[in-house]
Amino acid sequence: MRRREGNKEQAILDAAVKVFAHSGYHNAKITSIAEEAGVATGSVYLYYPGKEAIILAIFDRIWKSLTDGIGATARRTDFTPEQKLERVIDLMFDLFIVNPSLAAVFVNEQDHLIQGRKGTVSRQFDQFLDLAEVIIREGVRKKQFNPQIDLKLFRHFIVGGIRSLLRQWSAQPSTFPLNRIRQNIKAFVKHGVLIR
Amino acid sequence: MRRREGNKEQAILDAAVKVFAHSGYHNAKITSIAEEAGVATGSVYLYYPGKEAIILAIFDRIWKSLTDGIGATARRTDFTPEQKLERVIDLMFDLFIVNPSLAAVFVNEQDHLIQGRKGTVSRQFDQFLDLAEVIIREGVRKKQFNPQIDLKLFRHFIVGGIRSLLRQWSAQPSTFPLNRIRQNIKAFVKHGVLIR
DNA sequence: GTTATTATTGAACCAAAGTTCATTATCGGA
DNA sequence: TCCGATAATGAACTTTGGTTCAATAATAAC
């Protein structure tokens, strides 16, 4: 027998996040990922069946983290719907702050995977949106959110808007301080552009 | 001499929109585009220097149409800022009602091109956003829009949100009637989620 | 009708990158 | 210390698909 030295599976995943973030999925080379992870090219295939499986594993991790967070938030009884909505926005931002590369992959590659409805990614995305909808519906029921707005549309709009801003930020972090983005999104989502 | 039969350049561009919409840029094959256009593979290269030039030409067309529209809107004196804002949203929807495939390409591939700052695409995008900013600034000056909101952030958020919804629509047109999307976006952009 | 010129063709070319696998290295057990 | 078994390697293989170009077709000019 021979023992596996270190956690190569994890090292490859971390390396892939960096490489995907830098080059984008389609331009990322398996050899680059292996090099970044400090393993041989062939070793990648000992842990993942192929390139696509790697990015699917990354998104599994992202969505697991987000759905866990939003699920816990939705269940809380000591938060108003408004506070819950803010918390969901915070969840996405926190992920970015902790791991900017992961965030870059998230905002840039999500669509490809959803489009092909590959693996569990789209299911987890749907689950996230469903939980968001629960929060909004609670707000409407408690007469705090505008009942006119279509929930299914609204949640897509918000998530899309946030992703668009995060993409800008990950491309040019200096021009958009993340906290200003966060505050503006919260204010805008709640009140819109018009003066009350 | 020999005259060119038909407008192959246009036929190829139209075919490319369809193929890119269906398969995505990276999975689209030049041969498929040629076949769809009813020309030989090699003919594509008589009109475009390469694959990337084709999608750049598509985006040139999209952004030209949008910037022309928003420019004309911004200049009008018979519209309130609120009406201008609605008009900008209508502009994006009208383009895509006419050509849903074009919408799919727009929402799915824009980022790749911006990211690499390829050709004139990013410049035209910036120009579009600048014109949007002019409209918003007018609204703030006339005390109709909330001055708290950061303009540069706001415009990214809106455009990102709209794109996200259009993506959904182009993937499953039946579940999201386009006019409902349009009305909801207008209401949400103006008032946000909270009840006034 | 002949020829020159340009348009068009599509099979072949070629580079890039995902994947494989024969070889080598390392470790646990006897 | 030697052996068996698994981990790891990375050069070679293979596929994919963008691009090329020699051959052919079509039209205008004379």
Side-chain angles (χ1 to χ4, degrees):
Chain A
M1 275 284 277
R2 179 186 177 184
R3 198 184 315 161
R4 295 192 168 185
E5 18 178 285
N7 190 346
K8 291 213 169 56
E9 185 173 340
Q10 187 63 45
I12 290 168
L13 209 64
D14 291 340
V17 168
K18 280 189 195 160
V19 175
F20 287 151
H22 181 264
S23 313
Y25 175 75
H26 288 286
N27 292 112
K29 297 180 241 313
I30 296 286
T31 301
S32 304
I33 294 172
E35 191 180 3
E36 176 73 35
V39 300
T41 303
S43 296
V44 173
Y45 289 86
L46 296 176
Y47 296 92
Y48 299 94
K51 186 180 182 181
E52 188 165 68
I54 300 175
I55 198 161
L56 287 176
I58 293 172
F59 271 87
D60 247 36
R61 207 207 248 174
I62 293 176
W63 282 115
K64 173 123 186 42
S65 156
L66 287 178
T67 42
D68 284 357
I70 197 176
T73 303
R75 269 181 259 109
R76 291 185 72 144
T77 53
D78 56 333
F79 274 14
T80 65
E82 184 175 336
Q83 285 173 319
K84 289 184 180 180
L85 192 58
E86 290 199 5
R87 179 79 194 107
V88 173
I89 293 170
D90 281 335
L91 271 177
M92 300 182 75
F93 277 90
D94 290 344
L95 178 68
F96 264 72
I97 289 171
V98 171
N99 192 341
S101 289
L102 194 66
V105 175
F106 173 65
V107 294
N108 290 320
E109 314 299 342
Q110 160 88 2
D111 300 328
H112 299 295
L113 302 177
I114 292 294
Q115 210 167 14
R117 301 200 75 72
K118 295 278 172 58
T120 60
V121 174
S122 57
R123 185 149 31 86
Q124 288 172 300
F125 182 50
D126 289 343
Q127 194 182 341
F128 179 83
L129 290 178
D130 286 343
L131 284 166
E133 197 179 316
V134 167
I135 291 175
I136 307 289
R137 191 177 294 125
E138 183 192 346
V140 171
R141 200 173 55 244
K142 293 185 175 171
K143 308 232 185 286
Q144 292 173 23
F145 292 169
N146 187 346
Q148 302 281 3
I149 286 176
D150 185 304
L151 297 180
K152 298 219 186 312
L153 294 181
F154 174 73
R155 61 189 200 175
H156 267 115
F157 187 86
I158 302 292
V159 174
I162 291 177
R163 289 198 338 162
S164 186
L165 279 174
L166 289 176
R167 179 182 293 116
Q168 284 300 316
W169 175 76
S170 74
Q172 303 168 19
S174 54
T175 53
F176 291 104
L178 207 53
N179 267 332
R180 185 148 57 87
I181 296 181
R182 184 197 299 242
Q183 292 313 318
N184 266 272
I185 287 180
K186 287 179 181 175
F188 171 69
V189 165
K190 291 196 285 186
H191 305 121
V193 270
L194 291 188
I195 290 176
R196 279 167 285 175
Chain B
M1 274 284 275
R2 178 187 178 184
R3 196 183 316 161
R4 294 191 168 184
E5 20 180 283
N7 190 346
K8 292 215 169 51
E9 184 173 340
Q10 187 62 44
I12 291 167
L13 210 64
D14 291 341
V17 169
K18 281 188 196 163
V19 175
F20 287 151
H22 181 265
S23 313
Y25 175 76
H26 288 287
N27 292 112
K29 297 180 242 312
I30 296 287
T31 301
S32 303
I33 295 173
E35 191 181 3
E36 177 73 35
V39 301
T41 304
S43 297
V44 173
Y45 290 86
L46 297 175
Y47 297 92
Y48 299 93
K51 187 180 180 183
E52 188 165 68
I54 300 175
I55 198 161
L56 288 175
I58 292 172
F59 272 86
D60 246 37
R61 205 206 249 174
I62 293 176
W63 283 116
K64 171 126 186 40
S65 157
L66 288 178
T67 41
D68 284 358
I70 197 175
T73 302
R75 270 181 258 111
R76 291 186 72 146
T77 53
D78 57 335
F79 274 13
T80 65
E82 184 175 336
Q83 285 173 319
K84 289 184 180 181
L85 192 57
E86 291 199 6
R87 179 79 193 107
V88 173
I89 293 171
D90 280 335
L91 272 177
M92 299 182 74
F93 278 91
D94 289 345
L95 178 64
F96 299 134
I97 286 173
V98 172
N99 193 343
S101 289
L102 197 64
V105 176
F106 174 68
V107 297
N108 290 320
E109 314 299 341
Q110 160 88 2
D111 301 326
H112 298 296
L113 302 176
I114 293 293
Q115 212 164 14
R117 303 201 73 75
K118 294 279 174 57
T120 60
V121 174
S122 56
R123 182 148 34 84
Q124 288 172 298
F125 182 51
D126 289 343
Q127 195 183 337
F128 179 82
L129 290 178
D130 286 344
L131 284 166
E133 196 177 317
V134 167
I135 291 175
I136 307 290
R137 193 176 291 125
E138 184 193 345
V140 171
R141 199 174 55 244
K142 292 185 175 171
K143 308 231 184 288
Q144 291 173 22
F145 291 168
N146 187 345
Q148 302 281 3
I149 286 175
D150 185 304
L151 295 180
K152 297 213 188 312
L153 293 182
F154 173 73
R155 60 189 200 175
H156 267 115
F157 187 87
I158 302 294
V159 174
I162 292 177
R163 289 200 340 175
S164 187
L165 280 175
L166 287 174
R167 178 182 295 119
Q168 285 302 315
W169 174 73
S170 75
Q172 303 166 19
S174 53
T175 53
F176 291 103
L178 207 54
N179 267 330
R180 186 148 56 86
I181 296 180
R182 183 197 301 240
Q183 292 312 319
N184 268 274
I185 288 179
K186 287 180 182 175
F188 171 69
V189 165
K190 291 196 284 184
H191 306 121
V193 269
L194 291 189
I195 290 176
R196 279 168 284 173

